[in-house]
Amino acid sequence: MKTFVTTRIAAMVAILVALTGVMFVLQHISPLDPVKAQLGAQASQEAVASRREALGLNDPLLVQFWRYLTGAVQGNLGTSYRTRHPVASDLGDFVPATMELALFGLAIALVLAALLAFSTTLKWRGSAVLRGILFTGASAPMFLLGILGLIVFYQHLGWVPANGRTAITNVPTGPTGLLAVDGLLHGRFDVVADAVHHLILPAVVVALGPAVAIGRVLRSSLLGDADSDYARTARAKGLSEPRIMAGHVLRNSVGAALSMTGLQIGLMFSGVLVIEQVFGWPGIGQYIAQSIPVADFPAIAGVTLMLGALYVFINTAVDLLQAAADPRIAVRGG
């Protein structure tokens, strides 16, 4: 098990270093001069030369890369050309909104996936309807689903707000940056209710695709293990089918679903960036959308590194959870 953990962590570090290297190379081959982006196109040659020296751009490439890598590890992602603020500071302002939407969407996806897997495996009444709704929603492009949701649930029914995170002006400012959580911590249940009200539609849109993907994998595993020897022994003892599924089959079936969950979380963040544009959600999707047209490379690279690191961390954690659930994985080396 220790060898498995060490190998996975080493692989994670290697991938992160490689990703940082790619961002460093792209920054250097970019036609945009970072010095002129900071000083302006009319800056004098002396000012440009002085600034290049101050930024260390005349140093050997390996020295520059080491500085870039160690800076990224310490959270120094450079300064945005557009906002003139440190990219890490900008991300600190935008990331909480994205994290809240992604976490809420993940929670809904896991609930829907479990309902889809268990209802179809155990043949609950109405399972075919649930399956049809989820598959139809997951097959539609996410941005189109968001627009249709706004037309139906905002414009015609008036059940949800059109955009933004909250309609309340004096919301708590900390400590987590997640409005629903901060509202609970401060006893502001009006903030919690309003935050959930704004979250529900974009989170459901984000959740449908991952819910179907995770639910299908979990259902396939449940059906495969439902005919195993230990499941038949449990039936012979008189245990009910739901109890067999929850108490015996689920643990042996969850490994594949965990792998799919790790993959879907990474894909979910890419979906969140799109949905933020549809719903006017003030997260990193808005930040990157404003940075791309002006070629704000430090901001683009900062978002890429953050999302890449998050994706690698999550998948490493999923691998370790799988090994904990099924030690045979660690013995086989994954």
Side-chain angles (χ1 to χ4, degrees):
M1 185 69 175
K2 289 182 179 179
T3 302
F4 178 81
V5 172
T6 303
T7 302
R8 285 295 183 268
I9 293 176
M12 177 185 69
V13 173
I15 293 171
L16 292 177
V17 171
L19 176 61
T20 306
V22 170
M23 291 296 103
F24 176 79
V25 170
L26 289 177
Q27 184 170 357
H28 272 266
I29 65 176
S30 170
L32 185 65
D33 187 340
V35 175
K36 290 186 177 180
Q38 292 182 16
L39 299 181
Q42 305 303 320
S44 66
Q45 299 247 347
E46 293 79 9
V48 170
S50 175
R51 188 59 178 166
R52 288 186 66 86
E53 186 67 31
L55 293 175
L57 297 178
N58 296 326
D59 294 338
L61 280 179
L62 286 178
V63 174
Q64 292 185 51
F65 173 64
W66 178 251
R67 187 186 304 118
Y68 186 77
L69 177 61
T70 54
V73 171
Q74 296 169 5
N76 179 9
L77 300 173
T79 300
S80 168
Y81 300 157
R82 180 176 60 87
T83 67
R84 307 294 180 181
H85 297 151
V87 172
S89 175
D90 287 343
L91 291 178
D93 295 333
F94 287 95
V95 165
T98 297
M99 288 299 298
E100 184 167 40
L101 178 55
L103 290 173
F104 204 78
L106 177 61
I108 293 175
L110 293 177
V111 171
L112 291 177
L115 285 174
L116 174 63
F118 281 98
S119 65
T120 53
T121 301
L122 297 174
K123 296 181 173 55
W124 292 347
R125 181 177 298 177
S127 61
V129 176
L130 174 64
R131 183 179 182 181
I133 292 173
L134 290 180
F135 274 70
T136 301
S139 63
M142 196 173 290
F143 73 91
L144 179 60
L145 200 60
I147 293 172
L148 289 176
L150 285 174
I151 292 173
V152 174
F153 297 105
Y154 165 69
Q155 185 174 349
H156 288 289
L157 298 177
W159 290 356
V160 297
N163 53 47
R165 294 181 73 190
T166 181
I168 299 174
T169 56
N170 60 333
V171 297
T173 56
T176 67
L178 311 180
L179 289 183
V181 176
D182 291 342
L184 281 175
L185 295 176
H186 287 82
R188 292 287 304 276
F189 298 106
D190 59 327
V191 173
V192 177
D194 188 65
V196 172
H197 191 206
H198 282 76
L199 274 167
I200 188 67
L201 182 57
V204 168
V205 173
V206 168
L208 286 179
V212 170
I214 298 168
R216 290 178 68 177
V217 170
L218 180 58
R219 177 179 181 272
S220 178
S221 298
L222 289 174
L223 288 173
D225 288 334
D227 292 329
S228 61
D229 291 339
Y230 62 84
R232 287 196 291 268
T233 301
R235 290 189 188 94
K237 293 180 178 179
L239 296 180
S240 64
E241 204 65 27
R243 188 174 175 184
I244 294 171
M245 285 290 174
H248 298 272
V249 176
L250 180 60
R251 179 172 179 177
N252 293 284
S253 304
V254 78
L258 277 175
S259 291
M260 180 57 71
T261 301
L263 177 62
Q264 291 301 316
I265 289 174
L267 297 175
M268 179 180 288
F269 274 98
S270 64
V272 165
L273 301 187
V274 174
I275 288 301
E276 286 184 355
Q277 300 303 300
V278 176
F279 288 91
W281 196 263
I284 57 175
Q286 294 279 6
Y287 182 63
I288 198 72
Q290 294 166 0
S291 300
I292 290 175
V294 296
D296 187 355
F297 193 89
I300 298 169
V303 171
T304 303
L305 286 173
M306 185 198 69
L307 292 179
L310 183 64
Y311 183 78
V312 174
F313 281 133
I314 289 172
N315 279 276
T316 301
V318 167
D319 285 344
L320 298 179
L321 286 174
Q322 280 187 291
D326 186 357
R328 294 172 298 178
I329 294 176
V331 174
R332 295 194 304 263

